[in-house]
Amino acid sequence: MGLLENQYDDAAEKDLKNSIDAINDLHKTVKSMQDALSNPRKKMIKVKSNLNLKPKAKDRLRISKFGRDFVKHFINL
């Protein structure tokens, strides 16, 4: 509990989840390709084109709710 909080933690969790989902999709695609090569009757799954992973987590500080209340109470009397 402080006047400032780090914005990095919130976005880092979302970035990690997106990375895990992309890796799982790639794993499924590679597995289907291996199955299709061993058995020609099976179809290959295409690689999704939306696998552009750009991390959105940036190390920024923002004022917390406690900090806003602190400023309202002591500064803006």
Side-chain angles (χ1 to χ4, degrees), residues 26-66:
L26 289 174
H27 178 65
K28 289 178 189 175
T29 303
V30 169
K31 184 160 175 45
S32 74
M33 287 181 183
Q34 287 176 339
D35 291 342
L37 290 174
S38 64
N39 186 358
R41 293 181 185 201
K42 292 187 178 182
K43 290 186 178 181
M44 289 188 199
I45 297 175
K46 294 183 179 179
V47 177
K48 294 181 182 177
S49 62
N50 61 354
L51 292 178
N52 299 342
L53 293 175
K54 294 181 182 176
K56 294 181 173 100
K58 294 180 181 165
D59 199 11
R60 294 182 183 168
L61 293 176
R62 64 179 176 193
I63 191 164
S64 66
K65 183 178 182 322
F66 174 72

